[in-house]
Amino acid sequence: MSKFFSHIGYSFILWISLVMGLPAMAQQQNPDQILLQGFWWDYWNNNYPNRWADYLSDLAPRLKQMGVNGVWVPPSVKSDSYSENSVWKGNMGYGPFDHYDLGDKWQKNLKRTRMGDKNELLRMVGVLHANGINVVQDIIPNHMSSAGSATGAGGQDTDPTSMLTNSGYKNFRNICYNSPIGASRTEAAGEYCSRNGRFSKNFPDFYPNLMNPCCTNDINTPMFGPDISYESNAYGQSANCTGSNPSQAANYMRDGMRNWLIWYKKQTGFDGVRLDAVKHYPDYVTEDYMWNLQNNAGWASGGNQMFAVGEHVSGTTDCDNWTNAVQQRAGTFDFGLRQEIYYMVTGQGNYNLGTIVNYQQQTRNRSCNFVNSHDTFRPKWWLSTVGNYPAPLGDATGWDTGNELWNGHIDPRESRLSLAYALIFALDGTPTVFFEDLFDVGTTGKRFTHAPTSTADLPTRSDIVNLMWCYQNLKFKQGAYLVRNQTADVLVVERSTKALIAMNDNWNTWQNLTGVQTNFADGTILKDYSGATTTTRTVYGGGKVDIAIPPCDGTAPQGRKGYAVWAPNGVNTNFVMAERTTTQEWEMANDLGDRDSRSLGEGGALPSNSTAVRTVGKIYVKSGKAVTYNIYPTNNAVEIQAGLLDANGVILSSVTGSGNLSKTYTPTASGWLSIKMRNKLATTPGQNVYVKVTYTSPQTPSAITNPGSAKTETDTTPLVWLSNEESQINIYPNPAKGDWINLSITANEESIQAVEIVDVSGRLVHHQALRLWEGDNEYTLTPAQKLPIGVYMLRLSGMEIPKKLVIVE
C-alpha cells in the first residue's frame, strides 16, 4: 500500500541547501552538549523529600558514564508552601515567591525549596561540575505567586487597580537576616509588611497597574500571575503596607531582576539558563538579561557562547524571529520540529520521513531539539499508587492532556521513540533528552521509591543510551550537516566524515540502500555502531557506500528500532568529561540570609562593635584538591578574620587582615566545610563582605541516606588567628624525636585548632585536632608512625607561617 505523504510541496531550494550542506552558524553554543531535563512534571522521590538537588548529585556519576554533559535543573528559588507527606507535594518551583531565598530562609512554612536547602543546591552544582556536567538553571522571569505570609496575610493590596486580577495578592515582603519571622511567629499582616528582605514588590510592579492596563496582548495579559510589568513606569507604593513601604524608582523590576540574575549566577555557579514563558515579557528584557549574564557578571560572566534557551511556545517562524530579536543571545526549543516529530510517531508509518528536515528552525545554532518535556508530557501518575503510566499503550484517559502543550505527549513505550531521538541527535541544535524518555520511571512501579544509583531501580532505554554514546564518541557535531537520502520511509543524515545517521520509519521492513553518497574516502570501513547490523561496509566509487537500516519493530540485533549509525570502524569510548572546579560567591548583607532558629542561620553583614561570628555558608570538598577563598570587604580600613571549619567545628584554615584577603587550603578529607567570619576587634563598624570560594567536589557524593546539610555549627565557634611568634607557639625540644613532639601554645581565647605536619614534598604525615584554652596549653603529639629523620613543617590552622621541625632520631 502506498504511503500517505503528510507534507508535500516542500521547498526544492531548501532541499538543495540541505544536500549541499549549510554554512556554520555564528555563536554555536556548547556544540557537543547533550542536555538532560533532570526532572519530570511534579517530580518527587520519597527517599529525597524536598531534596532533589541531592537526588541529582547521586545520579551524576551515571550521567557522566552515559555522556550527558548538561543537566537542566528545576527552579530553585522559594515558591509556595511545600509538604513532605501529602500526595500533592506543593509548587514545584514555577511560582517564585522570594528570588533571594534558595532554601536558606524560613518562609512559607519551610526552610527548603523543592530542590533542597541552599547548601544542598550548591553541593549539587559542585558535584555535577566534578563530573564534567554543565548546570542549566530554570529561570522564571515572567511571573510570581503566593504574595503574603504563609497564611496570605499582608499580600493583598487594597488599591482598586490591584484587585482587578489575582485578587490583589501582589505585595511581596521577604524575611532576611535583619528581619526574621520573629519569636511570635504570628504571620500577621503587620509583621509581614515590616519584613525588609531584598527586592520587595508592590502591586504597581505587576499587571494591571496605574500606568499599564492588562489584557491586550501576550505580554500584558496575566497568564500565571501575577505577571511582572517591565515597563519603566511600572513602579510605586503599596496601598496597605504603609508602615514599611520601600521606595521604588523607574525600571524597578527590570533593574531588580537583572541584579538578581547576576547575584544568582555568582552564588550558585550555574553555567546556563532555561528561560520560562519568554513570549510573555518583552524581547528587550531577555536581551538585556542575557547580555549581562554573558558579559557583565564579573568573574561569573559566561561569554557570548553561554548556553541559554527560551520556552517560546509557537511555530518555527515565531521562534526564529524571537531568537533574532534577542540578538541570538538565546535560542528556543524547536516546537515546530517537535510538532512534526509528534506527527511522525503517531503516524504509525504513514508519515513522509524525508520531509521532516524542512521544519527545523533556521536559528538552530541556538535551538534545542526535543521529543518530550515536562510541558508536553503529563501522565496522571496519581491514578496509580506507584506512579505508573496508564495501560494499555495509547489509552488517553490516563493522561492530563488538558495541560499538555503542543499536541501533547509521545509515549516512551512507542517504538518510534528511538527514531525520534536518532533525528534530534542527527540534526543541528542541542539535543535535549527528557528524563522519562531516558529513564523508565513509568512502568517499574518505583517512580517514588527508586534509588537513582541503581540500574535495577532506575533502568535506562538502551537505544537512547546508544545514541548518546554515538553522538559524543563519534563526534557528530564536529562534522558538517548534510542530508544524503530522503524518501517516504528513509532519512539519512551525514555528519561529514564522522557518521551517517540512518533512519527508517517502516515497521517491519529493512531498508538496504546502495550507493549512498558520502564524504568518506574510498576504502574507509564503516561499522554500524547501533549494533543492528553486525557486518562492516567499505566506501567505494568516489565516496559511495551501501548501508542497512533496521525497521521499527525491534527485531534487529540489539533490539534497535528504526535507526543505524554508520561510522569509521575502530572508534572506542574517547569522549572525556573532565573534572571541573566550582566557584561560588556569597554576599554577606543584612537583607540576605536568615537567623531564625529553623533556617540555615547563614548570611548577614558583619555587625558593628562586635566580634560575633557570621556563618557564610558551606562547600562540599574533595580530599587533596585545593580550596581557595577570597574575602572582599566593603571597608578596607579594618581587620576581619575568616576561616574554614570541618563538621566538628575544627578550624582548618584561617586568614586575618584588612582589605582583600586570599587563602588556599588543601583538605585531607572529603566532605562539608563551613566558611565563617567575624570582625577582629569589638570596636569595628559593621560592613557587608563578599566571599568567593573555588573548590572541587567529589564526583560521587555520600550515600542517599545522608541529608547533606543536617549539621550546622553554632555561631559561637571562635575563629582564632595564631601568629608565628615564639611567645604563642613553641616546639621543644627542636630538633625532636620522631615518635613524640612537645608543643607549648599560648591562646587568647578558647578554640579548636587542627595541627598538621608535612614533609619537604608537601605530603601530610600527621593531622590532629587540639582544643586550646585561654592561656597556656601543653600538648604532646604522638604520630601513628614514627617520623623518619628529616626536616618538616608544622602549623596550626590559624598560623600564617608554619614552624620548622627537625627530626633527628
Side-chain angles (χ1 to χ4, degrees), residues 40 162 233 366 401 469 473 561 640 725 806:
W40 62 86
S162 177
N233 59 5
R366 282 285 185 176
T401 54
W469 186 95
N473 292 282
K561 299 176 181 178
I640 60 175
E725 298 174 4
V806 179

Side-chain angles (χ1 to χ4, degrees), residues 243-419:
S244 175
N245 221 337
S247 62
Q248 294 188 358
N251 287 307
Y252 181 76
M253 291 303 292
R254 183 175 175 180
D255 293 347
M257 292 290 282
R258 183 195 307 112
N259 293 337
W260 163 67
L261 282 168
I262 293 173
W263 171 89
Y264 197 11
K265 192 172 192 309
K266 288 181 175 181
Q267 173 66 95
T268 65
F270 63 69
D271 306 286
V273 293
R274 181 263 186 188
L275 302 166
D276 189 63
V278 294
K279 72 177 181 180
H280 296 291
Y281 54 94
D283 301 345
Y284 62 79
V285 171
T286 300
E287 182 188 1
D288 175 351
Y289 293 164
M290 292 315 306
W291 184 89
N292 278 278
L293 285 177
Q294 292 165 351
N295 300 290
N296 196 37
W299 63 265
S301 296
N304 288 332
Q305 310 309 311
M306 189 188 98
F307 183 87
V309 60
E311 181 209 24
H312 197 291
V313 185
S314 54
T316 301
T317 299
D318 286 342
C319 286
D320 279 334
N321 289 342
W322 182 87
T323 302
N324 290 323
V326 300
Q327 304 301 311
Q328 297 204 22
R329 296 200 173 277
T332 65
F333 293 101
D334 196 334
F335 277 91
L337 176 65
R338 197 274 175 180
Q339 178 173 270
E340 296 302 315
I341 290 174
Y342 177 86
Y343 293 154
M344 181 268 292
V345 172
T346 58
Q348 297 293 295
N350 291 315
Y351 180 86
N352 184 351
L353 184 61
T355 67
I356 200 167
V357 293
N358 298 346
Y359 297 95
Q360 194 180 17
Q361 287 181 228
Q362 292 300 299
T363 54
R364 54 187 176 269
N365 58 304
R366 282 285 185 176
S367 68
C368 285
N369 310 326
F370 74 106
V371 177
N372 278 313
S373 76
H374 68 296
D375 283 325
T376 68
F377 189 95
R378 298 192 182 180
K380 294 179 180 178
W381 51 257
W382 57 87
L383 297 179
S384 164
T385 58
V386 295
N388 276 356
Y389 300 142
L393 178 65
D395 179 7
T397 61
W399 296 84
D400 187 13
T401 54
N403 286 309
E404 290 182 336
L405 299 179
W406 217 250
N407 301 117
H409 65 277
I410 294 173
D411 196 311
R413 294 169 293 183
E414 290 280 1
S415 291
R416 286 178 174 82
L417 183 77
S418 303
L419 177 58

Side-chain angles (χ1 to χ4, degrees), residues 21 31 115 138 153 175 205 226 266-267 301 414 544 639 696 699 715 727 798 807:
M115 285 289 287
D138 208 322
I175 63 95
D205 303 325
K266 288 181 175 181
Q267 173 66 95
S301 296
E414 290 280 1
K544 295 180 175 60
E639 287 190 296
T696 304
Q699 293 185 4
D715 279 351
S727 60
I807 300 298

Side-chain angles (χ1 to χ4, degrees), residues 470-773:
C470 292
Y471 178 89
Q472 300 290 33
N473 292 282
L474 301 177
K475 305 190 184 307
F476 284 9
K477 285 301 191 289
Q478 292 184 16
Y481 166 44
L482 305 166
V483 176
R484 292 303 193 179
N485 190 291
Q486 293 171 283
T487 65
D489 272 336
V490 173
L491 177 66
V492 179
V493 171
E494 179 183 359
R495 305 305 308 204
S496 183
T497 72
K498 299 299 180 183
L500 288 174
I501 302 94
M503 293 155 271
N504 176 12
D505 190 34
N506 194 286
W507 176 249
N508 54 16
T509 301
W510 281 77
Q511 302 294 329
N512 294 289
L513 307 182
T514 59
V516 176
Q517 184 63 53
T518 74
N519 281 348
F520 291 110
D522 288 356
T524 302
I525 299 174
L526 301 185
K527 169 187 174 180
D528 179 8
Y529 284 86
S530 78
T533 301
T534 56
T535 58
T536 59
R537 306 295 168 87
T538 302
V539 179
Y540 65 91
K544 295 180 175 60
V545 68
D546 303 335
I547 61 173
I549 320 170
C552 293
D553 62 3
T555 57
Q558 303 289 340
R560 300 296 181 228
K561 299 176 181 178
Y563 79 95
V565 181
W566 293 90
N569 192 25
V571 178
N572 297 310
T573 300
N574 57 49
F575 181 70
V576 177
M577 294 168 59
E579 180 183 70
R580 292 164 46 196
T581 62
T582 294
T583 301
Q584 292 160 337
E585 180 181 280
W586 290 256
E587 181 183 356
M588 302 296 289
N590 278 338
D591 59 355
L592 295 175
D594 182 16
R595 56 190 170 95
D596 188 282
S597 61
R598 298 161 295 181
S599 74
L600 284 184
E602 299 174 353
L606 291 181
S608 295
N609 303 315
S610 171
T611 58
V613 173
R614 289 287 188 261
T615 299
V616 178
K618 284 188 172 184
I619 55 175
Y620 194 70
V621 301
K622 182 178 180 180
S623 174
K625 293 290 185 177
V627 177
T628 298
Y629 55 106
N630 298 277
I631 315 299
Y632 304 104
T634 54
N635 182 347
N636 291 325
V638 299
E639 287 190 296
I640 60 175
Q641 298 175 322
L644 301 176
L645 292 79
D646 68 14
N648 295 312
V650 177
I651 302 173
L652 304 176
S653 172
S654 68
V655 62
T656 299
S658 58
N660 295 342
L661 304 173
S662 181
K663 192 72 175 289
T664 297
Y665 169 76
T666 301
T668 58
S670 297
W672 290 104
L673 296 183
S674 292
I675 313 158
K676 299 198 175 190
M677 63 191 319
R678 70 172 187 176
N679 291 318
K680 182 180 179 182
L681 302 175
T683 56
T684 301
Q687 62 170 313
N688 291 2
V689 182
Y690 293 84
V691 180
K692 184 178 75 171
V693 185
T694 299
Y695 64 97
T696 304
S697 290
Q699 293 185 4
T700 303
S702 54
I704 63 172
T705 54
N706 174 29
S709 299
K711 182 179 178 62
T712 300
E713 300 83 24
T714 66
D715 279 351
T716 59
T717 305
L719 293 177
V720 181
W721 178 79
L722 300 178
S723 75
N724 204 43
E725 298 174 4
E726 292 295 325
S727 60
Q728 289 190 302
I729 180 170
N730 190 34
I731 304 170
Y732 68 93
N734 191 9
K737 294 183 178 181
D739 52 358
W740 56 270
I741 300 105
N742 289 330
L743 297 181
S744 174
I745 304 170
T746 301
N748 56 12
E749 59 184 307
E750 179 185 349
S751 69
I752 300 176
Q753 298 282 331
V755 62
E756 295 180 341
I757 302 175
V758 298
D759 62 20
V760 291
S761 69
R763 182 175 63 92
L764 181 70
V765 296
H766 183 71
H767 175 92
Q768 184 176 334
L770 302 179
R771 175 173 288 279
L772 302 183
W773 306 95

